Amino acid sequence: MTQQRLDLTNWEFRASGDEAWLPAVVPGTVHTDLLRSGLIPQPFYGKNEHELQWIDKKDWEYRTVLKLDEGWQNLNVTELTFAGLDTYADVFVNNVHALSADNMFVAWTVNIKNLLRTGDNEILVKFRSVVSEDLPKLEQLGYDLPAPNDQSELGGLEEKRISVFARKAPYHYGWDWGPRFLTSGIWREAVLTGRNAAAIADVYIRQDVIKKEEARLTAIVEVDAPEVGEGTLRITADGQEWTQEVALAAGKQTVELELVINHPRLWWCNGLGVPELTSFQVKLLQKGTVQDTAGVTTGLREIKLIRKPDAKGASFQFELNGVPVFAKGANHIPNDSFITEVTGDRYRHEIASAVESNMNMLRVWGGGFYEEKEFYRLCDEYGLLVWQDFMFACSMYPGDEAFLESVRKEAEYNVKRLRNHPCIALWCGNNEIDSAWAHFEENMGWGWKEKLSSEIRDTLWAAYEEIFHRILPEAVAACHPGVDYWPSSPLRERTNNIDQHSTRVTGEGDIHYWGVWHGIEPFENYNVKVGRFMSEYGFQSFPELKSVLSYAEEADMELESEVMLAHQKNGRGNLLIKEYMDIYLPEPKDFRSFLYMSQLLQAEAMRVAIESHRRNKPYCMGTLYWQMNDCWPVASWAGMDYYGRWKALQYTARKSFKDILLSIEEMDGVNLQVHAVSDQRETLASELVLRLHDFSGSVLKEWNQPVQLAADSAAVVFTVPAAELLEGNDPKQVVLVASLLAEGSLLEQKEHYFAAAKEIKLSQPALTVAEVPGSGGLSFTVSSDVLARGVYLTAEEEGIFSDNFFDLLPGEPKTVQFSLRGSGDQDFVPAAPTGLEVRSMADYVKEA
C-alpha cells in the first residue's frame, strides 16, 4: 500500500499588491494573522470593531511552498484538499489555476498530479473581497433582499446588505449580539494526499431498525479506485465481523453491507441513560493486502420527531428509543467571531457546562456555521441531542441556478459530514424566515414583503420554496434517512396556507416567543404564552465585571457610554434592561452594581419561562432558551459569557432543568399552587414540606404532606389561598420555602416571595464562610444572620460553584463546592478556591 499525506501548515500571507509576506497560521483568518503580526489592535476591545472594517474591502493572498521528493511522482492520484476556504478564492499550483471556491461551508478537492514536480512547489490561494464580489450582484438584482441583521452601515456600505449572496457564516456580517468581522482565510485544514491504490472515501452506518433486542444496520462505504479490480470489504464492531467481496470499477462507487448486532448498547441522551458509543472499523483489501482503513464511531439509537394531532392541535416532541424526551437546553451560536480561535478546551467547557446544567439538547442556530466535528463528538459522548439548522437565518435568498446549485452541494456535503453523529436529532431548514416573510398572510411577518411588488414577492417565495421545501429536505432524505427535517423554526406545519405560520398561541409546531424583551411584555406573560415546543425566548444581561473590563476602561463604565453601546448590538438593549429592572428589582447603587443586578434580572426571567414550560408538560415538550454562549465579550442573552464564565442565568438553568422540579405559582393573586415536575422514568414516593419564614429565619407556619410523583409527569401537588397562608403577615416580610424529600434526602427546594424584589426592604446581612471539617477545603458553608438574596460567590481562579446567586435564610447554611475549569479530558476539577469573596444583593442596592 502506497499512501502519502502532507498537512499544509507553513503559510504566509499579504494583502494583494503588497510586496512583503507575513507569517500566517493555518487554519486561521486574516484578522487573527494581522493581529499576530501587530498590524491591528485587539478587535474586541473598545470600539476597535469600527476601525477594522477596511480589512474586508481588500483581497488577500496566502502561499506555501512544498518540497516533494520523487516518490510523489510515482503516485496515481495526488489530491489537494481544503476543508474550508472563506469564501471566494482561487487556488494556483505552480502558477497554474487549480480550482475556484465560492462556498465557505464545503470542502474543495482537486487532483493536481500533473501540476506537481519534484522539489519546490508553490501553492497560492487568492481570496477576493466578499464586498467587492457581491456588491455588483445587488446592483444587478435591482432591489434589496431582506437581511435586517446585516450591519452594512457599520461596514461603510450604507444600506447595501450583501450577506445573502455569499455562502458564508451570516453572523460575520453582524447580528444583534455580535460584531461585523467579514473574515477570509483558510479556516479548516489543508492537506495534500497521494496514493496508488483504492481508498475508502466515506463510511456511513445507516441505522435501519434499532430495538433493544437487535440493531439492523447498513454500512454504506464509498470507495475510490484508480482502476478496475477485485477487493474485499471487512467490517468489525463489538467483537463481530462482516465481509463482502466487491468488484471495483475505476472511480468512485458505493458498496453496501448489511450488519446485525444483537442486544445493542443503545445511545441515550443526558438524563435518560448512558450515551453508549459503538466503533466500526472498515478495511479494504486487495489480494489479501490492506489498501485502506477507516473508522466510524456512532451511537445506536432511534430518534423521531412526533407530531401527532390531538384536541389542542398537534404534538411536537422528540422520542428517543421509544421514550418521550422533554427537551431542556439552549440555542448555540459560534463561540468566537474568529472560528479558528475556538480550542478543544473551549468546546469541552461549553458542552460540559450544558451537561452540568442538566441540559439534554442544544440547537445549532442557522446564522453561524456547521460546527467543527469536535463539537458533535463531544455532544455524542456527553449525550446532548442536537437540533441542527442549515445555515440560513432571518433573510430572503437569491434563486439563481448558480446559488441553488451551491446550496445543493452544501447540503449534501454537510449532511454526509455529520450523519454518523448520534446526537443529530433534527435537520431544520432555516431560522425564522417563514414567520418573518409570512407569505400566506398579508398582515403577518416583519414587514418585508409589503415593500415589494407582487412579481418580486413571487420570485423570492419561489426561491424560498426551492431551497427549504425541495433542495434541503431532499438532501436529508437521501443522505440521512431516519432523521426528520423541519423547514423553518418557528413553524406550525407546511400547509401552503395561513396555517403554515407559527404564532405565539399556536397549538402545534414550535414557537419563538419574544413578547418578553422585544415586545416589552411582563415576565408574567411567560406563564400564558406557552407552545408545544419553545425553541427560542430570552432576556439580556451584562457579563460580570471582569469580562466587561476586558473591553472597557473605567471611564467607559456607564450605561450609555460609546463603548457600552458598541458592545450592545440590540439597539435599545441597555435601556431595555434598565426599564425591566425598574419594574422588578431595587435600584442599583452604581454601574458595577447594575452589571450584577442585570444578571439577577435575566436569571429571574428565564426561571419564570422554564418553569412555566415544564409545568405544562406534556402539552409543551421542549424549552431551548436563547442563548447558551457568546462570540465576543458583550451584553447579550447568553447564560455563559465569551470567556466561559457562568452568569446567574446558567446557575438558574441548572436548577430549573433538574429532573425533579418544584414550581410555585400564584393564580390570579388568590390561590397559590405548588407544582411538582418529574422527568424520571419511575414513580417517586416523596414528602412535600412547606414553611413560611420571616426574614429573621423564624418559622411562622408549616405544612407537610405525602406526594406520589408519577413518572414523567407534571402536577399540582398543593393548593392554598394566599391569604390563608399569610394569615395577616406582611407579604413584604415573609418567604415560603417548599422542600421535596424522599427517604430523608432533599430532592428539591424552592423559595417563593409574595412581593416583587423591589418592594422588599433588605437588611445588610453578615455573611460568613466556614470550611466543612474533613473536606480538605473542597467544601464550605455560607451562613447569614438575616435573609440574604442573590448571594454571589467569586474566586480568583476560573471555575464554577455548585450553587451561586442563591438566597439564604438564617439558620439554614448552604454547603458549596468549587471546581476549576478543566482542560484536556477533564471537565471540572474540584478545588479549594483562593481569594473567595461573598456578597449579596444588599451590597449592590442603592440606599433609600
Side-chain angles (χ1 to χ4, degrees), residues 19-57:
E19 291 188 10
W21 290 90
L22 301 166
V25 173
V26 170
T29 74
V30 67
H31 288 74
T32 49
D33 285 332
L34 288 167
L35 180 63
R36 289 187 185 97
S37 291
L39 297 177
I40 62 170
Q42 168 53 247
F44 295 160
Y45 189 79
K47 295 167 56 184
N48 288 346
E49 172 200 3
H50 300 205
E51 309 305 320
L52 299 178
Q53 297 304 310
W54 59 270
I55 298 172
D56 59 49
K57 313 301 187 297

Side-chain angles (χ1 to χ4, degrees), residues 802-818:
S802 57
D803 200 1
N804 209 346
F805 299 93
F806 53 82
D807 291 0
L808 198 59
L809 274 167
E812 297 193 4
K814 177 177 281 287
T815 301
V816 180
Q817 293 84 36
F818 176 74

